[in-house]
Each structure stands twice: as structure tokens, then as C-alpha cells.
Amino acid sequence: MSSLRSYNSMVNIWVILGTMLLFMVAKTECKKCAFKAIFNFGDSNTDTGGFWAAFPAQAPPHGMTYFKKPVGRATDGRVVVDFLAQAFNLPFLSPYLKSIGSDYKYGVNFATLASTVRLPQTSLFVTGVSPFSLEIQLRQMQEFKAKVDELPRKGKTNLPSPNIFGKSLYTFYIGQNDFTGNLARLGISGVKEFLPQVVSLISSTIKEIYALGGRTFWVLNLAPIGCYPAFLVELPHNTSDIDQFGCMISYNNAVVDYNNMLKAALAQTRKKLADANVVYVDTHAVLLELFQHPTSHGLKYGTKSCCGYGDGAYNFNQQVFCGNTKQVNGKNVTAKACEDPQNYVSWDGIHATDAANKVTAYAILNGSYFDPPFPLHKYCDIQPIG
């Protein structure tokens, strides 16, 4: 079994590296892509500034690697949807909530940090859960389309043409906060009780967007949260629950159960939308590979965060998050960033680094992690992503 796992691991590595090489030698002139826009729904894993547009407060060192300043992303650089936009020769997505400087001709990002699929039963200021759940993001999408259909297009505009919605890619990367938000309090069995509702809401949202004209949907599955530094610190577990890679076995197994449930629900949705592409994207496999074998992908640290406080195995302290200064054990301390985030999978214990997001995007664009297979090369000439 171990030899088979090693073989599969090496195959994954060469698939990703081969794709990266292919992109690097590709020509850089503008090419055509069937996707004229991207509409993204999600949480902090793909938020490009929505949350901080609504609640301005983000500070350094966020954005330090690529943008050289905070730009509303919960990482040191780009998120996965940024890389997808670059690959499709589209500009970075403007957040729906950003009123200054936004351009929506090539899509909209409805994702916000701390969003859930289910409608939150509490306030942001009580538990930190975003008010912009998937249902709200869907309503924003519906309102956006209504405005595009209604408003006259005279002269320069930051809105797309009304026929854009059938020529767009709709991406979903959401559900992590539903899974982890009450995990410490309810335990795995408690959380599992409402996960069917989560996948049902994702499926129903796809059907609603289909009614608006959407035909191509990519749904990214849940990451292996048992490998994240923050959850390794925060979630109760025994040493016997830690595998050879330093990840929590029981929590990762629960994630696999959820992902299988999501995959099955999308299969049923696909049957009901015969002329649509409803694609399950196994980013879990990519991230698990990165956490387990970071050095095989040019990284050094898997389960240790770049930006945090405490150093040690995880460099994460739940009392003081990345970029913040607080009093811990009677003294003021600051959660600072490492000098080499390109060597880390985890940025702040909860989110991936620019480097990890880049590898994930390469793997998606390669097409090996789609279910069912999706012939991306027939839709787009993929552009290099730097």
C-alpha cells in the first residue's frame, strides 16, 4: 500500500510540474477563451477584497509577496481565483462590495472572508461569521444581472453586456466555515448533522444561477483541515490521532466524508441540468499532497504557518492572529510574517500562501482534478501565470 501511495504521489508531482513547464514555455500573446467572465462565490479562500471593503481594517503583512501591500486577500499574495483569471487572460475580479475602483465587465467576486453556506444565526461582532452567506451572495448575483439587463449601455461602462452570463465560468469555494465554525464545540458527529444541508444549498444555488443563464460551474471541495496549523492548535485531539505527516486523522477523514457527499450531490444536480457542466474540483487532493510532501513541490514547511506567533511546530497562537498585536501572558506580542512565505503551504494557519495557491491553480488548470473530466483546453488557450 505504501509503495502505491508513493507512486500516486510521484504521478501527481509530475503532472503538476509538467503543467507548470507547459505554461512557462507558452507564448504570452493574447488568445481567445470561451469564458468571457468569472463569477465567484466563496469565503476567505477566494475573497479578493469584499470583506475588507465592507469592514475596512486589513493591515500588513497581508499582500506582502505579490501586491506589496494589503489588498483585501487573506494571504501574502494571490488566491486561487486570481490565478484562474490570469490563466484566462482576464483581470483580477473586483469584489461586489467594493464601491471604489471596481470594474465588472469581466465578472464579479461575491466571496467574503468568514462566509458560510448556511445563513448565519449570529452576528459578525459576536462570533466573527460574515453576514454574506451563500444565499446573500446569490441574491447579489441576481441583483447584478437585473441591473445589467436594465441599465442602458451608453459610452464607457464598468458593466458587461447582457449576453455574458452564458459565456462565463461560475466558481464555488465555500463550506470550510460551516465545517470548522462549531467543530470544537459540537465535535465531528455534531457538525456532520447539518452537512447535508450545506451540500443541498450549494446544489440549489447552482440551479438558481442556471436559471440566470449560467452553464459552466466548478465547485472546489473542502481542504484537509486536519493539516492546518490553526486547527492543529485549536481542535481537541490525542497524539494517536496524528498521522506520519503531522495531520489529524479523524478530522481529515470527516472532510473526506463531506467531500464524498458533495460529489454525490453534484452528480445528482448534473443529471437535472443536462446542458450544463457541473464539475467537482478535487483541490483537497492537491492541498493534501502539499501538506504531506511540501519539499516535493519546492516548499519547505507544511503544517507550520508563515505569519503567526509562538514559533514551535505550528507558529500559531489563537490569541493573536497574523498582523495583530495583543497582550499574551502579560506582555504585548505581535504575530509577524516570516521572511520567506514562498517556502510555506500555510500563510497564517488558516489560509494558503501565494505559493500554495499557485500550485493548486496549476493543478486545476491541468484538468486532472475534474470530475467528470472537463476539456478545458477546448474552451481556453491557457495563459502563463507568473
Side-chain angles (χ1 to χ4, degrees):
M1 181 63 112
S2 60
S3 60
L4 177 61
R5 187 181 296 113
S6 298
Y7 172 78
N8 289 335
S9 179
M10 287 304 298
V11 169
N12 287 334
I13 292 168
W14 285 112
V15 164
I16 294 171
L17 291 178
T19 306
M20 292 173 72
L21 181 61
L22 177 64
F23 291 160
M24 286 190 287
V25 300
K27 295 181 179 179
T28 58
E29 68 267 16
C30 294
K31 296 182 180 180
K32 293 182 179 179
C33 182
F35 300 132
K36 304 304 179 185
I38 300 174
F39 293 93
N40 182 66
F41 304 83
D43 51 32
S44 56
N45 290 305
T46 53
D47 186 356
T48 56
F51 184 88
W52 298 115
F55 308 100
Q58 195 184 38
H62 296 289
M64 62 179 279
T65 296
Y66 184 81
F67 300 99
K68 309 303 180 184
K69 62 180 182 180
V71 288
R73 290 156 174 81
T75 182
D76 61 307
R78 292 156 292 183
V79 294
V80 170
V81 74
D82 287 323
F83 289 107
L84 296 182
Q86 286 184 312
F88 299 154
N89 202 35
L90 298 173
F92 292 146
L93 295 185
S94 292
Y96 181 78
L97 297 172
K98 185 179 177 183
S99 59
I100 301 173
S102 286
D103 188 339
Y104 302 120
K105 289 193 292 290
Y106 304 99
V108 182
N109 194 354
F110 300 99
T112 67
L113 180 147
S115 286
T116 54
V117 172
R118 300 191 309 158
L119 198 65
Q121 303 299 312
T122 182
S123 164
L124 168 72
F125 304 103
V126 175
T127 59
V129 178
S130 170
F132 304 107
S133 65
L134 183 58
E135 181 180 340
I136 301 301
Q137 293 179 27
L138 171 62
R139 291 180 189 176
Q140 291 172 338
M141 174 70 204
Q142 292 168 331
E143 178 70 7
F144 179 79
K145 185 179 187 302
K147 294 301 182 186
V148 169
D149 291 340
E150 292 170 4
L151 294 176
R153 242 153 301 284
K154 294 180 180 179
K156 188 176 181 181
T157 175
N158 68 343
L159 295 177
S161 62
N163 67 357
I164 198 81
F165 300 100
K167 303 174 182 178
S168 300
L169 173 66
Y170 296 83
T171 53
F172 297 78
Y173 197 5
I174 191 168
Q176 182 168 310
N177 294 315
D178 295 87
F179 191 95
T180 62
N182 293 304
L183 198 49
R185 181 172 61 87
L186 298 179
I188 292 172
S189 60
V191 168
K192 278 188 172 182
E193 290 184 7
F194 58 75
L195 293 182
Q197 182 186 4
V198 172
V199 298
S200 176
L201 288 169
I202 292 174
S203 292
S204 64
T205 301
I206 290 173
K207 294 172 187 175
E208 292 277 2
I209 297 174
Y210 176 87
L212 299 179
R215 290 299 180 269
T216 303
F217 307 89
W218 290 2
V219 183
L220 281 60
N221 63 4
L222 188 63
I225 63 103
C227 297
Y228 281 73
F231 302 125
L232 281 161
V233 170
E234 294 177 353
L235 296 177
H237 62 277
N238 298 318
T239 54
S240 59
D241 195 31
I242 300 295
D243 66 17
Q244 61 180 314
F245 305 106
C247 301
M248 294 181 290
I249 300 168
S250 59
Y251 293 101
N252 275 351
N253 286 345
V255 168
V256 171
D257 290 342
Y258 166 81
N259 285 339
N260 288 336
M261 190 187 308
L262 175 64
K263 186 176 181 179
L266 294 178
Q268 293 302 312
T269 304
R270 193 178 303 121
K271 292 178 181 178
K272 297 176 182 178
L273 307 177
D275 60 337
N277 295 301
V278 180
V279 183
Y280 171 85
V281 186
D282 191 10
T283 47
H284 173 276
V286 184
L287 286 165
L288 185 63
E289 166 67 22
L290 283 177
F291 276 115
Q292 292 179 342
H293 307 285
T295 56
S296 298
H297 303 277
L299 308 178
K300 291 182 180 179
Y301 308 103
T303 57
K304 182 176 182 178
S305 63
C306 165
C307 187
Y309 170 74
D311 200 21
Y314 307 124
N315 190 37
F316 180 84
N317 187 306
Q318 60 198 90
Q319 297 180 64
V320 52
F321 292 104
C322 176
N324 291 339
T325 298
K326 287 190 176 181
Q327 192 171 88
V328 177
N329 297 326
K331 65 176 182 178
N332 286 334
V333 300
T334 301
K336 299 178 180 179
C338 63
E339 296 181 354
D340 55 342
Q342 72 276 7
N343 288 323
Y344 289 75
V345 177
S346 176
W347 164 241
D348 58 359
I350 304 171
H351 307 97
T353 58
D354 179 279
N357 284 328
K358 185 175 184 178
V359 173
T360 302
Y362 273 126
I364 294 172
L365 295 166
N366 171 268
S368 300
Y369 296 87
F370 291 141
D371 189 297
F374 180 78
L376 180 58
H377 64 282
K378 293 183 179 180
Y379 287 77
C380 288
D381 291 321
I382 305 301
Q383 300 298 291
I385 51 180

